[in-house]
Amino acid sequence: MADAAETPGGEDYLAALAGLVSDVSDAARQVAAAQIAELRVLAAAGRLAEEQAAPRNAKVRLHDMALRSIAAEVGGVLRTTDRTVQRRIGEARTIIEGFPAAVVAWKSGRIVREHVRAIVDAGTTLPAEMWAEFEAIAIERCERETPNRVRGELEILAHRMHPRSFAERHEEAAAGRCVRLVPGRDGMSDLIATLPTVIAEGIHDRLTQQARAIVDTRDERAASSEVVASDARTTDQVRADVFADLLLAGTPALDDTRDTSAGPLGAIRARVQVLVPASTLTGSDDGPCDLSGRSPIDPTSARTLAGDTGVWERLFHDPTTGVSVSTDSYRVTSGMRRFLQARDQHCRFPGCRVPAIRCEVDHTHDHALGGRTELSNLAHLCQRHHSMKQFTAWRVRQLTGGVLEWTSPLGRTYREDAPTPAVAFTPAAPPVAGESAPF
C-alpha cells in the first residue's frame, strides 16, 4: 500500500490536517486561559464579599448579603441570575484556592478542564488539609488518562485516603437527602429524589415489581379473552404511573388508562396557579398551558384540573386578544393580592423566576418609612431578594404600570417590566356608525 504522503494530494492533505490540529491546540490553550481567568475573577469576587463583612465582626447573614449583592452585580453584566453567579463564585474559590496545583497543570496543558473537575469532585470529599496530598497524586494519574477513565480511580483513591469510615460519612451525607423538580420540555419534568442507595434501590425495585404485575395481568387478560389489550404502556411507563399513583393517591391503580376518573391528577391538592387559554378549555386549541413560574403543562391535564375549583387558582384569558375571561381562587383573598399575583407572576428581581405564590408582597417604598399599601407600591419578591433589598445597597423604585427600576451598588440600573399580563381588561369597541349596539 502506498504511503499517504505519496498518493495524489497526500502531502497537501497531511499539511492541512497538521494545520487543523495545530489550530485546535492553539484554540484549546486560549479557551483554557480564558476559563482560568474567569475562575480567578469569580474567586476574587468571593474574597471581596468576605473582606466586606470582616471588619464589622460580621455575622453569617452580613457576609451572605454582601455575597448576594456582588453576585447580583456580576449577574447583571453576565445576563444570568444572581443565584447562578453565587454558585459559580463558590465553585471558583474551591478550584482556585483549594486546588492551585491542578489549575497550574491545566494552564500548562498537562491536564484539561474535565480532569480538574474530576480532581475537585473527588478531592472535596476529603478534609481540606488533605487536598494538597490528594491533588499531587491525582494530577500524576490524570496526565496518563482521559477524564472519563480516571474519574472512578480518583473516587476510589479519595475513599482510601479518607480518615473517617464510610459509615460515618454516609450518615452525614444522608442528612442532605432531598427532592428536586427540574422542568423539562413538552410539558414534562424530572422529579429527582436524592436518597440513601438502599432506599432508592428498594423504591425502584418495588415500582418495578408492581409495574411487572400490572403488565403481566394485562397480558394474561388479553390472552384469555383473545382480545388485544387496549393498554399498550411499556414497563417504564407503567412504573412512572405507579410512582405517581402511590405519591398522589396512596395506592396504585391497576389500569389507569381505563379509569374514567381523574386518576392521579384528581389527587393533587397543591396550590398551583395555571394560566389556561379559553380556547384550550373548549377543546378548540391543543396548545400548552402555563404553570405559572414553572413550565408549560399539556392541555388535557389543564382541562382536568380546571374542573377542581376547590384547590386551584384559575386565570383564564383569550390568547388572541388578551381579554380576561374569568379569574378565580380557592381561598378568600383580597382583590389586591389576586391582582398582584396575576400581574407579577414571579419574583420581580431581574432574572428571578420564583413563582409569585411562593413570594412575599413587598412595599417598594417601605411601609415603616411612609410607603402606602396600594398597588402602585407593591410587588412580589422572593425571600432571597426581599432580604437583599433590606440589607444590601441594592435599591428599587416603582414606576407606572408596575415597572420596577433596580439600581445596583455600582449605580447600574435594570428595568424590570411586569410580565405579559395573565389578566387584562380592555374597553369594548364602540359601535360602528349606522349599526345598533349589541345587547
Side-chain angles (χ1 to χ4, degrees):
M1 180 179 293
D3 186 81
E6 297 176 358
T7 60
E11 292 183 359
D12 292 341
Y13 165 76
L14 291 178
L17 179 58
L20 287 173
V21 171
S22 177
D23 289 345
V24 168
S25 178
D26 290 342
R29 282 194 293 269
Q30 294 173 16
V31 169
Q35 290 173 335
I36 293 170
E38 182 184 51
L39 287 174
R40 293 191 188 281
V41 171
L42 291 174
R47 290 193 295 273
L48 177 62
E50 196 171 87
E51 295 166 1
Q52 184 76 8
R56 309 174 185 173
N57 291 323
K59 297 180 180 178
V60 174
R61 188 181 72 178
L62 289 177
H63 172 259
D64 185 55
M65 290 301 159
L67 183 56
R68 289 186 190 183
S69 180
I70 291 174
E73 191 81 68
V74 175
V77 175
L78 296 180
R79 299 181 68 84
T80 189
T81 67
D82 57 296
R83 286 184 178 87
T84 298
V85 174
Q86 186 170 339
R87 174 181 55 78
R88 290 173 60 187
I89 286 174
E91 293 172 350
R93 291 198 70 178
T94 299
I95 295 171
I96 296 298
E97 299 170 12
F99 298 86
V103 175
V104 172
W106 177 19
K107 186 175 182 179
S108 66
R110 292 157 52 202
I111 61 176
V112 297
R113 181 171 189 166
E114 289 306 312
H115 281 128
V116 176
R117 189 182 302 276
I119 291 172
V120 172
D121 287 347
T124 49
T125 64
L126 294 167
E129 60 270 17
M130 299 184 67
W131 289 0
E133 179 185 357
F134 171 83
E135 181 184 30
I137 301 173
I139 291 172
E140 182 180 352
R141 297 189 180 182
C142 285
E143 289 176 331
R144 302 193 302 263
E145 290 287 1
T146 57
N148 62 312
R149 286 187 174 182
V150 79
R151 181 176 292 275
E153 184 180 351
L154 296 184
E155 291 175 354
I156 293 174
L157 173 64
H159 278 304
R160 290 176 176 172
M161 292 179 63
H162 207 290
R164 297 172 60 204
S165 70
F166 184 83
E168 290 178 303
R169 286 180 283 133
H170 169 72
E171 183 177 355
E172 184 176 294
R177 59 191 181 278
C178 62
V179 176
R180 307 184 302 283
L181 181 64
V182 181
R185 295 181 178 179
D186 302 324
M188 302 296 287
S189 292
D190 293 323
L191 185 64
I192 303 172
T194 300
L195 298 166
T197 299
V198 65
I199 301 298
E201 288 284 355
I203 291 173
H204 190 269
D205 181 67
R206 184 185 184 197
L207 291 173
T208 300
Q209 290 187 44
Q210 291 183 323
R212 286 175 179 169
I214 291 173
V215 171
D216 290 346
T217 301
R218 175 195 67 193
D219 294 344
E220 289 172 3
R221 288 179 176 177
S224 62
S225 61
E226 297 183 354
V227 177
V228 178
S230 61
D231 182 0
R233 292 177 297 172
T234 65
T235 300
D236 273 339
Q237 291 171 335
V238 175
R239 184 161 40 214
D241 292 344
V242 170
F243 177 79
D245 286 341
L246 289 173
L247 288 180
L248 294 174
T251 181
L254 179 62
D255 187 354
D256 188 54
T257 62
R258 299 178 185 175
D259 191 354
T260 57
S261 69
L265 289 175
I268 290 179
R269 289 297 180 268
R271 184 183 174 213
V272 181
Q273 187 181 71
V274 182
L275 175 61
V276 186
S279 56
T280 299
L281 286 182
T282 62
S284 61
D285 177 21
D286 277 335
C289 303
D290 180 24
L291 183 61
S292 181
R294 302 297 289 182
S295 58
I297 63 173
D298 65 282
T300 301
S301 295
R303 293 186 193 110
T304 301
L305 295 168
D308 188 356
T309 59
V311 295
W312 285 78
E313 293 181 353
R314 301 178 298 169
L315 299 173
F316 305 143
H317 81 300
D318 187 299
T320 303
T321 65
V323 176
S324 172
V325 176
S326 67
T327 181
D328 189 25
S329 174
Y330 83 102
R331 294 191 306 182
V332 179
T333 59
S334 68
M336 183 180 293
R337 183 176 293 275
R338 289 190 300 180
F339 175 86
L340 289 169
Q341 285 189 352
R343 184 197 73 182
D344 293 344
Q345 300 182 37
H346 51 70
C347 171
R348 298 296 307 284
F349 188 85
C352 186
R353 292 286 297 174
V354 173
I357 57 176
R358 299 179 186 171
C359 295
E360 305 163 352
V361 176
D362 172 67
H363 287 75
T364 305
H365 178 54
D366 289 350
H367 185 266
L369 300 178
R372 300 183 61 181
T373 304
E374 56 188 11
L375 294 178
S376 59
N377 190 48
L378 298 172
H380 282 87
L381 294 180
C382 67
Q383 186 177 21
R384 174 188 179 87
H385 294 122
H386 192 187
S387 298
M388 277 183 56
K389 175 176 173 286
Q390 289 181 294
F391 301 113
T392 75
W394 279 83
R395 295 293 177 261
V396 61
R397 66 185 184 121
Q398 187 162 167
L399 310 179
T400 57
V403 175
L404 298 187
E405 185 181 77
W406 289 86
T407 303
S408 77
L410 291 182
R412 295 177 181 270
T413 58
Y414 299 93
R415 178 187 170 104
E416 172 71 9
D417 291 337
T420 302
V423 178
F425 298 90
T426 60
V432 179
E435 294 184 1
S436 59
F439 291 97

